[in-house]
Amino acid sequence: MATDAQQACFEAGIKFGSLYHQFAGTPVSPSSARSLEVAMAESIENQPFCESVTVTIHDDRVADAIDHENGYTELTGSLMDVEMRVELEGVTVHTQMTMTDGYPLMELVSVDGA
């Protein structure tokens, strides 16, 4: 049987996988980035035990990735940072996804109350 801390970490991983794979490939431009951030956060916050999600899509990275005349690119992990907080049975898990050595790394920041 998993501990509450292990289950909370598992839940965080599930939510990150859902966020990334649900939205990777979504068309994005600097003008649509704010609404996409909100849609991503609110979508994942619907899931059990998810207390908060913050998505930051970097306009400069998006603009640099646009390589055709249509004015958008596909969303990838390299264009955004994400922070998430999951709470389960008194355990709070803080996670983040940031670019690390050119890779969008999802990681545990802290596990409190374990």
Side-chain angles (χ1 to χ4, degrees):
M1 174 109 162
T3 66
D4 290 338
Q6 291 168 329
Q7 187 65 39
C9 291
F10 173 79
E11 291 292 339
I14 293 297
K15 283 141 188 57
F16 252 121
S18 177
L19 179 141
Y20 191 88
H21 293 291
Q22 178 177 349
F23 290 98
T26 299
V28 64
S29 68
S31 65
S32 69
R34 300 301 76 76
S35 63
L36 185 55
E37 290 170 342
V38 171
M40 293 172 72
E42 289 182 355
S43 172
I44 302 307
E45 287 172 348
N46 283 323
Q47 296 183 29
F49 314 114
C50 190
E51 293 300 316
S52 69
V53 177
T54 303
V55 178
T56 303
I57 299 174
H58 299 278
D59 292 342
D60 58 335
R61 296 181 196 172
V62 171
D64 289 346
I66 296 172
D67 62 359
H68 53 79
E69 62 202 41
N70 296 317
Y72 73 93
T73 190
E74 293 181 2
L75 186 67
T76 65
S78 66
L79 304 178
M80 63 181 160
D81 293 328
V82 180
E83 295 179 359
M84 191 178 310
R85 188 178 84 244
V86 170
E87 294 183 8
L88 174 73
E89 300 296 330
V91 176
T92 302
V93 173
H94 295 273
T95 63
Q96 68 182 10
M97 181 182 77
T98 58
M99 288 301 293
T100 303
D101 297 326
Y103 184 79
L105 184 65
M106 300 170 198
E107 62 186 351
L108 287 171
V109 173
S110 66
V111 179
D112 303 313

